[in-house]
Structure formats: structure tokens, C-alpha cells
Amino acid sequence: MHSFKSIRLLLPALALCALAQTAAAQTQTVCSISNLLPGWVVIDQKQCICCGATGTTRRTQYTIRNISGLANGSTVQVCSLTNLPPGWVVINLTDCLSCCGAEGTTRRTKWTIKKISGLATGSTAQVCALDNLPAGWVVINLTDCLCCGATGATRRTQWTIKNISGLPAGSTVQVCALQNIPSGWATISQQQCLCCGATGSNRTRWTIKKL
């Protein structure tokens, strides 16, 4: 029989082995992303003589990762917004060489996504796209800036969003878009102002109230 001492020495090795197997299970290589399971995203891709390619023909092979178990606030860089899980938003993007399968002088886009679902009421985040906003998050500001992958003199839009899902009845919030307004909230006023990223001409800002 094994002594208690030998068992104690064996346990850390078994734990490390289990962690390695878990990490490996979270990353896979596939030949198609048309039917990804929920929570899996594309983190890299390449052109290769693979996936049934013959001769000099090359096909695309994708590296995918399961991010469904990551904690709130986690960030991941992805090569495609296909299958972006609920609760994840785009916080940055870049056009780069030698990324996401880019070759030679070709540039491809890599997005940085962040998990914000589950963050506390009142939390804010700056995002580069309004796709995939979690329920309860609204746009409270926006700006045109050298951000979100902008290069040279080109400016892009960055939105500030806020989680209002847990606010009590009677609460009011000023928003710059009526997109994603939660049920139970009503628009009570609007104004034209130098706000919501306005430069030169006014933009509309709405006040919403939780009934």
C-alpha cells in the first residue's frame, strides 16, 4: 500500500496533469467555424496544406477556444466575431500584420473582447461596437477619437455604456441612444445639446426613468 507521504507527493502532480488536460480541452483546432458550439471563439487561423487540401492548394484551419467559464472582466483577443457569446463586448480592435493568419503585407483585424455580464449595477465600460450589449446596459456617452483601432487621422466612435439593471424604481438616467433600453423604463424627456460626443452641432440626449 502507498504511504500517506507518497500520496501527498503524488497529489500535486495529479493536479498539474488535470490542469494541463483542462487547458488543452479549452483550445481546439478545426477546419470550419460554421457550427461552433456556444462559448467557443476563434483566436487564430492559418492557411495550410491541411483540412483535406491536396497538392499546392491551401485551406483555412482555425484555432478555437472555449471562453464560457471565464470570470467577469476577463478579456480575450479573437480573430472573428462569429459566435460572440452573450455578455461579451468589443473593447478594442487592431489591423495587424502576422496575426489571425495574415501573410506578407496583408493586414487582418483582431478584436479584443471583454466579459461584462454580471458586473455590478452602475458599472461602466467603453466599447467599440454596440453589437451584443447585455440586457440592462445602455449608452450614456460616445466620442469620436483616435481609438478602437483608428490609425493616422482617421477617427472612430467609442461608446460608454452603463449597467442600470439593478436600479430601484424612480431612478433616472440620461442616455445617448434608445438602443437596449430595459423593459420597465420609459422615456420622460429629451433635449438637444452639445453632448453625447457632439462637436459643432447638437445631438439628442434622452432621460429615461424606471417605473
Side-chain angles (χ1 to χ4, degrees):
M1 294 181 64
H2 294 292
S3 68
F4 286 114
K5 182 177 180 180
S6 63
I7 292 175
R8 285 198 304 270
L9 292 173
L10 182 61
L11 286 176
L14 292 175
L16 288 174
C17 182
L19 286 173
Q21 290 177 342
T22 300
Q26 300 305 302
T27 303
Q28 301 289 338
T29 301
V30 298
C31 297
S32 172
I33 57 172
S34 61
N35 196 32
L36 290 182
L37 293 173
W40 288 82
V41 295
V42 178
I43 60 170
D44 201 7
Q45 65 189 67
K46 65 178 180 179
Q47 296 291 311
C48 56
I49 301 177
C50 54
C51 297
T54 57
T56 58
T57 301
R58 300 200 303 168
R59 292 183 177 173
T60 304
Q61 185 179 70
Y62 305 88
T63 301
I64 60 174
R65 179 183 176 187
N66 183 5
I67 63 173
S68 58
L70 295 183
N72 291 318
S74 298
T75 60
V76 176
Q77 289 187 316
V78 298
C79 296
S80 170
L81 295 181
T82 299
N83 213 46
L84 188 62
W88 289 78
V89 292
V90 177
I91 62 169
N92 199 14
L93 61 143
T94 181
D95 294 324
C96 50
L97 298 170
S98 302
C99 67
C100 298
E103 298 178 343
T105 58
T106 301
R107 304 179 73 89
R108 290 194 174 164
T109 302
K110 177 183 286 187
W111 294 266
T112 300
I113 60 174
K114 181 177 182 178
K115 186 176 183 179
I116 64 170
S117 61
L119 293 183
T121 299
S123 296
T124 60
Q126 291 180 315
V127 299
C128 298
L130 293 180
D131 301 325
N132 217 47
L133 289 186
W137 289 78
V138 295
V139 178
I140 61 170
N141 200 14
L142 63 140
T143 182
D144 293 324
C145 55
L146 295 174
C147 54
C148 296
T151 57
T154 303
R155 302 175 73 86
R156 291 184 176 172
T157 302
Q158 185 180 66
W159 293 266
T160 301
I161 59 175
K162 182 177 182 178
N163 182 10
I164 64 172
S165 58
L167 294 179
S171 298
T172 59
V173 177
Q174 290 183 316
V175 298
C176 297
L178 294 179
Q179 179 176 338
N180 216 48
I181 302 300
S183 61
W185 289 77
T187 302
I188 60 172
S189 67
Q190 69 182 63
Q191 65 178 143
Q192 298 295 312
C193 56
L194 289 173
C195 54
C196 298
T199 56
S201 58
N202 290 339
R203 287 184 177 174
T204 303
R205 182 168 63 188
W206 296 265
T207 300
I208 59 174
K209 181 178 182 178
K210 188 170 185 181
L211 304 177

